[in-house]
């Protein structure tokens, strides 16, 4: 191998390791934003998302996503991927698949059966994520052929996870005590310090998530990666600022959890266009996402009465779709604000709605079957006492 090829391979591996560490971030965010009596259950779910995803994606998921295209819909399946010169790509895509699966965990935290969740996580990595991913990231996919842009996965990863989370949260139902007499009651998380540490870890990992999606770092790719790092960082920072000021105005205080979700919303939103927009465009995307996520979380909670303890539906589903659409406005090549007209925006809209329809439909079918066979929800006693004691016979906070 020449030096450039080694550099490119090493960058993909290092970026994949950064994305792997995001699993720790998701674990801490979900743990901090929920009650301490369910901490062990959340740890187990996030560990199993990665472990199940690693095995299933290697066994067949990767080929369904990146195999030769069948009718531009799905990759040609093959078992147990083993091409020696592509193992770095397998690893990088595996950590992405695990991210999509783990998004669902937060939205249905504190009341879902562990055994049922494991099966859904497996099917997320096996069917739901790879097939829609094939449409976009395999050159023969039908959205790829249309010119749809989702550079690092605002829709492919985050929206798929977010829309699956929406269906799951509706079907599992709200936590006991969340809604009484039509009013939404706050159920505070037990540790915002843990939650904020998780957000910082996610932000750290996002530099690998987006920067690694260049899939190379030699030659001119180095400048591209640097540009992506800047657009990613600016969007996260702008999301935090706009969410903070919106809550300061709307609630009379700069809300901590909303500001943290503003960071994530900005990062999710810019992921689609991090290589296609200017730094100023990334700043604008972050500002918009930070504003929208605050109102989206409130709307889903208080108007739709859907219980999402961590805001995963808004942060990943809504912000992912929004960011993918905004590529049609802010892309320096073909965006509406750069003289490209509405063509690019139209293609982005088709992709956003197609991916949403796929994730929602298949998630509903899977969860409906699981609900009728295994059941989705723990008993009232188990929920009140906490899942740690009943599901795992453990307590994470022993004195």
């Amino acid at each position: 191998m020449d030096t450039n090829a080694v550099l490119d391979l090493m960058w993909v591996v290092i970026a994949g390791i950064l994305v792997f560490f995001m699993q720790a971030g998701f674990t801490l965010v979900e743990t901090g934003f929920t009650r301490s009596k369910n901490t062990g259950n959340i740890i187990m779910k996030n560990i199993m998302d990665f472990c199940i995803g690693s095995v299933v994606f290697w066994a067949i998921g990767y080929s369904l996503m990146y195999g030769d295209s069948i009718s531009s819909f799905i990759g040609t399946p093959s078992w147990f991927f083993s091409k020696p010169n592509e193992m770095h790509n397998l690893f990088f895509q595996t950590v992405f698949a695990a991210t999509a699966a783990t998004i669902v965990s937060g939205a249905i935290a504190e009341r879902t059966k562990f055994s049922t969740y494991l099966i859904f996580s497996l099917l997320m990595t096996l069917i739901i994520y790879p097939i829609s991913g094939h449409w976009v990231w395999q050159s023969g996919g039908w959205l790829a052929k249309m010119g749809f842009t989702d550079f690092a996965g605002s829709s492919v990863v985050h929206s798929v996870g977010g829309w699956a989370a929406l269906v799951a949260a509706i079907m599992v139902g709200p936590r006991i005590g969340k809604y009484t007499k039509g009013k939404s009651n706050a159920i505070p998380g037990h540790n915002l310090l843990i939650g904020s540490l998780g957000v910082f870890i996610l932000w750290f990992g996002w530099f690998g998530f987006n920067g690694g999606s260049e899939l190379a770092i030699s030659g001119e790719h180095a400048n591209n990666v640097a540009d992506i790092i800047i657009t990613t960082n600016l969007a996260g920072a702008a999301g935090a600022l706009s969410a903070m000021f919106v809550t300061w105005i709307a609630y009379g205080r700069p809300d901590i959890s909303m500001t943290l979700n503003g960071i994530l919303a900005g990062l999710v939103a810019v992921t689609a266009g991090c290589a296609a927009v200017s730094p100023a465009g990334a700043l604008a995307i972050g500002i918009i996402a930070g504003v929208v996520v605050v109102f989206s979380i409130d709307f889903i909670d208080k108007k739709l009465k859907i219980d999402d303890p961590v805001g995963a539906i808004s942060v990943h589903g809504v912000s992912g779709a929004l960011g993918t659409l905004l590529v049609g406005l802010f892309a320096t090549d073909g965006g509406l604000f750069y003289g490209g007209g509405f063509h690019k925006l139209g293609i982005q809209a088709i992709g956003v709605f197609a991916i949403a329809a796929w994730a929602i439909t298949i998630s509903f079918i899977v969860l409906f079957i699981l609900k009728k066979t295994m059941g989705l929800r723990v008993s009232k006693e188990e929920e009140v006492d906490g899942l740690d004691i009943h599901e795992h016979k453990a307590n994470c906070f022993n004195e």
Side-chain angles (χ1 to χ4, degrees):
M1 296 176 74
D2 63 25
T3 305
N4 283 347
V6 172
L7 275 174
D8 292 342
L9 188 150
M10 283 305 300
W11 170 238
V12 171
V13 170
I14 291 167
I17 291 168
L18 290 175
V19 179
F20 164 75
F21 193 46
M22 290 174 75
Q23 288 292 135
F26 280 115
T27 304
L28 291 173
V29 168
E30 189 180 341
T31 299
F33 280 26
T34 54
R35 290 167 292 185
S36 59
K37 63 185 180 180
N38 299 304
T39 296
N41 179 257
I42 289 165
I43 291 168
M44 287 295 289
K45 286 193 299 180
N46 280 272
I47 288 172
M48 287 302 108
D49 282 331
F50 186 77
C51 294
I52 291 169
S54 293
V55 174
V56 170
F57 204 68
W58 162 71
I60 193 165
Y62 185 83
S63 67
L64 293 178
M65 190 161 174
Y66 288 101
D68 293 338
S69 192
I70 301 171
S71 302
S72 298
F73 181 80
I74 188 172
T76 303
S78 63
W79 288 99
F80 310 120
F81 187 82
S82 61
K83 293 182 181 176
N85 59 342
E86 287 189 38
M87 294 313 244
H88 59 298
N89 288 326
L90 170 64
F91 175 64
F92 190 67
Q93 299 305 331
T94 295
V95 293
F96 271 58
T99 298
T102 211
I103 288 166
V104 180
S105 175
I108 56 174
E110 303 200 290
R111 74 265 200 206
T112 308
K113 281 186 176 180
F114 183 64
S115 55
T116 306
Y117 178 81
L118 294 183
I119 294 174
F120 183 75
S121 178
L122 184 151
L123 292 171
M124 187 81 179
T125 318
L126 177 67
I127 298 170
I128 300 171
Y129 170 76
I131 292 177
S132 55
H134 178 84
W135 304 347
V136 180
W137 285 347
Q138 212 279 6
S139 58
W142 68 274
L143 283 172
K145 288 179 179 178
M146 287 180 68
F148 177 74
T149 298
D150 186 1
F151 184 77
S154 287
S155 281
V156 171
V157 180
H158 294 281
S159 274
V160 165
W163 300 136
L166 172 65
V167 175
I170 292 170
M171 294 186 70
V172 173
R175 290 167 291 175
I176 294 169
K178 176 62 181 171
Y179 300 105
T180 52
K181 297 179 180 177
K183 178 179 175 291
S184 172
N185 302 307
I187 302 178
H190 82 282
N191 195 322
L192 275 178
L193 175 60
I194 290 176
S196 62
L197 177 59
V199 170
F200 272 114
I201 289 172
L202 288 170
W203 198 343
F204 171 75
W206 231 289
F207 297 126
F209 199 97
N210 288 358
S213 293
E214 178 75 9
L215 301 179
I217 203 168
S218 60
E220 192 54 37
H221 291 293
N223 288 325
N224 294 344
V225 170
D227 290 343
I228 290 165
I229 297 293
I230 292 299
T231 55
T232 300
N233 192 54
L234 283 171
L241 289 167
S242 60
M244 180 186 73
F245 283 119
V246 165
T247 58
W248 211 333
I249 294 165
Y251 306 158
R253 68 184 190 279
D255 188 88
I256 300 169
S257 63
M258 282 293 195
T259 301
L260 294 172
N261 273 331
I263 295 170
L264 300 180
L267 292 167
V268 168
V270 82
T271 294
C274 57
V277 303
S278 68
L283 187 78
I285 289 170
I287 291 169
I288 295 166
V291 172
V292 169
V293 78
V294 173
F295 294 109
S296 176
I297 288 172
D298 271 353
F299 180 76
I300 287 170
D301 177 26
K302 294 171 182 173
K303 299 297 183 184
L304 299 182
K305 303 281 192 297
I306 298 169
D307 184 13
D308 177 1
V310 303
I313 299 163
S314 297
V315 167
H316 298 280
V318 174
S319 301
L322 175 67
T324 309
L325 289 171
L326 290 176
V327 174
L329 302 181
F330 290 102
T332 55
D333 182 13
L336 178 64
F337 294 162
Y338 291 83
F342 287 93
H343 178 70
K344 182 68 176 174
L345 183 60
I347 292 172
Q348 295 300 105
I350 290 169
V352 164
F353 286 109
I355 290 169
W358 166 258
I360 289 169
T361 302
I362 305 303
S363 296
F364 174 78
I365 293 169
V366 170
L367 288 165
F368 182 81
I369 294 169
L370 289 173
K371 187 172 186 175
K372 293 298 182 184
T373 53
M374 299 176 64
L376 300 179
R377 194 175 180 122
V378 298
S379 69
K380 181 178 179 180
E381 180 192 4
E382 290 172 315
E383 183 177 346
V384 170
D385 292 346
L387 303 187
D388 289 4
I389 295 296
H390 286 279
E391 291 267 33
H392 309 285
K393 300 292 187 289
N395 186 346
C396 284
F397 297 95
N398 297 306
E399 294 182 1

